[in-house]
Coordinates of all heavy atoms in Angstrom, one line a residue:
L1140 N 39.2 22.2 -38.6 CA 38.4 21.9 -37.3 C 37.9 23.1 -36.7 O 36.7 23.3 -36.3 CB 39.2 21.0 -36.4 CG 38.5 20.7 -35.1 CD1 37.3 19.8 -35.4 CD2 39.5 20.0 -34.1
R1160 N 9.5 35.2 -35.4 CA 8.1 34.8 -35.1 C 7.8 34.7 -33.7 O 8.4 34.0 -32.9 CB 8.0 33.3 -35.8 CG 6.6 32.9 -35.7 CD 6.4 32.0 -36.8 NE 4.9 31.6 -36.5 CZ 4.1 31.2 -37.4 NH1 4.4 31.2 -38.6 NH2 2.8 30.9 -37.0
F1165 N -1.6 31.3 -23.0 CA -2.7 31.5 -22.2 C -2.2 30.8 -20.9 O -2.2 29.6 -20.9 CB -4.0 31.1 -22.8 CG -5.2 31.1 -21.8 CD1 -5.7 32.2 -21.4 CD2 -5.6 29.9 -21.3 CE1 -6.8 32.3 -20.6 CE2 -6.7 30.0 -20.3 CZ -7.3 31.2 -20.0
D1172 N -11.2 18.8 -8.4 CA -11.4 17.7 -7.7 C -11.5 16.3 -8.7 O -11.7 15.3 -8.1 CB -12.6 17.8 -6.8 CG -13.9 17.8 -7.6 OD1 -13.9 18.0 -8.9 OD2 -15.1 18.0 -7.1
H1185 N -12.0 31.8 -38.3 CA -12.5 30.4 -38.8 C -13.5 29.9 -37.8 O -14.0 28.7 -38.0 CB -11.5 29.5 -39.0 CG -10.3 29.9 -39.8 ND1 -10.4 30.1 -41.1 CD2 -9.0 30.2 -39.5 CE1 -9.2 30.7 -41.6 NE2 -8.3 30.6 -40.6
M1209 N 0.0 27.0 -25.3 CA 0.6 27.7 -26.4 C -0.5 28.3 -27.4 O -1.4 27.6 -27.7 CB 1.6 27.0 -27.2 CG 2.5 27.7 -28.1 SD 3.7 26.6 -28.8 CE 5.1 27.7 -28.5
V1210 N -0.3 29.6 -27.7 CA -1.2 30.2 -28.7 C -0.4 30.9 -29.9 O 0.6 31.6 -29.5 CB -2.0 31.4 -27.8 CG1 -3.0 32.1 -28.8 CG2 -2.7 30.8 -26.7
G1213 N -1.5 36.4 -34.0 CA -2.6 36.7 -35.0 C -3.6 37.6 -34.5 O -3.4 38.1 -33.3
A1227 N -17.1 18.0 -12.6 CA -16.0 18.3 -11.7 C -16.5 19.7 -10.9 O -17.3 20.3 -11.3 CB -14.7 18.5 -12.4
A1256 N -23.2 25.7 -21.9 CA -24.2 24.8 -21.6 C -23.7 23.7 -20.6 O -24.5 23.0 -20.0 CB -24.8 24.2 -22.9
L1261 N -21.1 28.9 -12.1 CA -20.0 29.7 -12.2 C -20.1 30.9 -11.4 O -20.9 31.8 -11.6 CB -19.8 30.2 -13.7 CG -18.4 30.9 -14.0 CD1 -17.2 30.0 -13.8 CD2 -18.4 31.4 -15.4

Side-chain angles (χ1 to χ4, degrees):
L1140 178 62
R1160 190 154 174 145
F1165 172 71
D1172 66 358
H1185 312 289
M1209 190 171 230
V1210 179
L1261 185 65

